[in-house]
Amino acid sequence: MGLDYSYLLYFKREALWDVLQGITSISRPCPLPTLVAYPDHFRLIHLEAWGRNERIIYHDDPQFRFAASIYFPPDDDIITYLKHFSREKFNLLAAESPLGLPVGSIYITVYNDPAVFDNRVLDPDQVLFEFGTPGSTMSILFSESVSIRKRFEDLLVQYEGVCGVLNLEDYAHVIWLNGHLLDVRIPNPFMPPSEIINFMKEHEISEGEE
């Protein structure tokens, strides 16, 4: 089996839709928006839904799934990755948007009901966004690209994220916690923020430590 790295970003529940709009603003435009159904109205999300519901999702679904090509400011790792797949099209990709180079598809899963995630009970006042990759090559890019990490850090900063984790399957790095940039290794990528805080206390690691 290939590598399956991802970024796990935790936000306060009230930020859910703002974060989705923020992701939309740094992604390639989606020609057909996804409809989010409420009892008395619809909300448009300009991201491509995938999975069981391809065009309509419900605001209280336990989880939402989207696929997006996200723009990242170029760095050497992204340039090498894109040229490997399409050297001929690279110049077109580079000129496509002032937001950077498009990398995708990135699979986004929003865990709207904390109880459905890995049999762990998360804080009901939080939602989890998982940004996954389609295979080993992009997984390696996720782990090595400074620009990709910075883009996810920026989302955490902009929307007052609770916690950010780079999931490397066998272990993980906490990159953000309660308003602080970090680089702390933890043994389980799927520790919820409360467990991460306890782990850091047990190992005498400060939340302000990089």
Side-chain angles (χ1 to χ4, degrees):
M1 293 190 52
L3 300 175
D4 189 19
Y5 298 167
S6 61
Y7 275 90
L8 309 172
L9 308 187
Y10 298 81
F11 294 92
K12 296 174 184 175
R13 175 164 297 279
E14 59 264 27
L16 190 160
W17 302 109
D18 288 339
V19 175
L20 277 174
Q21 294 293 355
I23 295 167
T24 298
S25 72
I26 56 172
S27 300
R28 268 182 166 170
C30 175
L32 292 174
T34 298
L35 299 177
V36 182
Y38 288 80
D40 57 353
H41 69 283
F42 287 95
R43 179 196 296 263
L44 295 182
I45 298 292
H46 289 273
L47 293 171
E48 179 184 354
W50 66 278
R52 182 173 59 87
N53 299 321
E54 295 183 355
R55 287 296 311 284
I56 298 178
I57 62 177
Y58 294 86
H59 73 101
D60 55 355
D61 280 346
Q63 56 187 6
F64 316 128
R65 292 188 174 100
F66 303 97
S69 182
I70 297 176
Y71 291 110
F72 297 94
D75 64 13
D76 290 343
D77 294 301
I78 293 175
I79 291 170
T80 299
Y81 171 84
L82 291 176
K83 284 186 174 180
H84 171 75
F85 286 105
S86 184
R87 182 173 292 272
E88 297 77 11
K89 295 182 179 179
F90 177 79
N91 289 336
L92 292 175
L93 295 176
E96 184 175 302
S97 171
L99 294 171
L101 293 167
V103 175
S105 294
I106 293 172
Y107 299 121
I108 304 166
T109 304
V110 183
Y111 295 93
N112 189 35
D113 179 354
V116 304
F117 180 65
D118 195 41
N119 295 318
R120 292 174 179 269
V121 178
L122 304 181
D123 187 327
D125 294 325
Q126 295 174 8
V127 291
L128 169 60
F129 286 68
E130 181 174 19
F131 297 82
T133 68
S136 295
T137 305
M138 193 187 293
S139 284
I140 293 170
L141 178 65
F142 265 35
S143 70
E144 295 181 350
S145 170
V146 174
S147 177
I148 289 177
R149 176 166 173 160
K150 178 67 164 54
R151 178 66 91 192
F152 290 126
E153 288 173 349
D154 288 346
L155 282 174
L156 290 161
V157 172
Q158 184 174 358
Y159 297 103
E160 299 181 350
V162 176
C163 184
V165 175
L166 171 56
N167 164 26
L168 300 173
E169 294 191 274
D170 294 329
Y171 63 97
H173 287 276
V174 182
I175 65 169
W176 175 269
L177 184 64
N178 292 333
H180 299 287
L181 291 172
L182 301 175
D183 190 359
V184 173
R185 178 166 168 157
I186 56 175
N188 185 346
F190 300 113
M191 282 183 177
S194 59
E195 288 187 21
I196 291 173
I197 291 170
N198 289 335
F199 174 86
M200 290 173 61
K201 287 178 179 177
E202 290 172 4
H203 292 79
E204 298 182 347
I205 302 169
S206 167
E207 289 188 21
E209 182 175 328
E210 280 194 71

